[in-house]
């Protein structure tokens, strides 16, 4: 008996199937329910588009008249200003809060946690109305020695107007969410890289700026973009303060002419258009920070 796996002398191994596979009939997998779902979805979309085109209640003529009206364009500009200022100040403060939470100081960690807890718990509309009525609590703001005499004073009513209160409320509210986004991105970076950088004698600030943040941005950007878009749409809430942003101006116009639906479509179209622009910018920024990892 042979103790090896070699075939006995004088025998032949069976030939591989080879050409036999060519004789097999390949039948693709059938997906009948997929086509049913596609057909049903296409029918619903076609009905929706047909309704948009044929239903006179949409009043597309009124929509076209007001879409590029001067008052609407000014309102869009105000909305963009609120978004930019709220985002810039909110993320600047959010970065500080994130590193306070990551600090080894129990005091700084507690303060940052308390801020985030408070501003995520209080509804945004309450925060906005509070800052709008700040003059009710403090008639003037003084700067000087803590718990001592003041050297400079400002009238609160003139210093914190409607626009300033809106930006302040949006920024402070945004900072609480931005802090957690930034903290999550920093924690996603492998701590061993910081240990290696410290062993090479790289200063702490340079470690954060050149090693941590470029890698953390890949985790931060998607969530940060969602927050910016949410803030952009959330600026409509400042209409309670009679600020002439997009939704407030639309309300004023349809309150006068009664054309509610086409004016709401004007606001909707602008929100969709600008959100699309923000999404495109997000794509290119993400691609820039993914240069080292994308293949």
């Amino acid at each position: 008996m042979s103790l090896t796996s070699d075939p006995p002398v004088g025998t032949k191994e069976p030939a591989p199937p080879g050409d036999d596979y060519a004789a097999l009939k390949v039948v693709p997998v059938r997906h009948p329910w997929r086509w049913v779902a596609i057909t049903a979805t296409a029918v619903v979309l076609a009905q929706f588009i047909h309704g948009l085109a044929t239903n006179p209640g949409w009043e597309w003529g009124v929509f076209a008249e007001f879409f590029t009206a001067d008052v609407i364009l000014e309102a869009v500009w105000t909305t963009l200003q609120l978004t930019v200022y709220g985002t810039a100040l909110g993320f600047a403060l959010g970065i500080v809060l994130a590193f306070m939470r990551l600090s080894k100081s129990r005091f700084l960690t507690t303060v940052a946690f308390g801020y985030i807890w408070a501003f995520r718990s209080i509804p945004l509309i309450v925060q906005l109305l509070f800052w709008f009525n700040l003059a009710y609590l403090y008639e003037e703001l003084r700067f000087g020695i803590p718990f001592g005499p003041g050297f400079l004073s400002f009238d609160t009513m003139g210093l914190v107007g409607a626009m300033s209160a809106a930006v302040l409320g949006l920024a402070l509210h945004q900072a609480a969410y931005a802090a957690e986004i930034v903290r999550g991105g920093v924690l996603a970076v492998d701590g061993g890289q910081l240990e290696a950088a410290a062993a090479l004698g790289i200063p702490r600030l340079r470690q954060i700026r050149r090693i941590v943040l470029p890698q953390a941005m890949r985790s931060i950007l998607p969530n940060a973009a969602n927050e910016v878009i949410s803030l952009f749409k959330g600026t409509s809430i400042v209409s309670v303060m009679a600020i002439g942003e997009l939704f407030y101006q639309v309300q004023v116009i349809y309150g006068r002419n009664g054309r509610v639906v086409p004016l709401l479509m004007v606001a909707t179209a602008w929100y969709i258009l600008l959100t699309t622009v923000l999404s495109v910018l997000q794509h290119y920024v993400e691609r820039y920070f993914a240069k080292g990892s994308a293949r």
Side-chain angles (χ1 to χ4, degrees), residues 69-98:
D70 291 340
V71 65
I72 295 296
L73 295 179
E74 292 176 4
V76 171
W77 174 242
T78 302
T79 299
L80 289 175
Q81 285 182 302
L82 289 170
T83 303
V84 172
Y85 295 152
T87 299
L89 296 175
F91 272 88
L93 179 57
I95 292 172
V96 175
L97 290 169

Side-chain angles (χ1 to χ4, degrees), residues 241-256:
M241 303 164 63
I243 296 177
E245 51 80 45
L246 180 57
F247 185 66
Y248 177 81
Q249 290 295 354
V250 164
Q251 286 180 305
V252 170
I253 295 173
Y254 74 60
R256 294 174 180 172

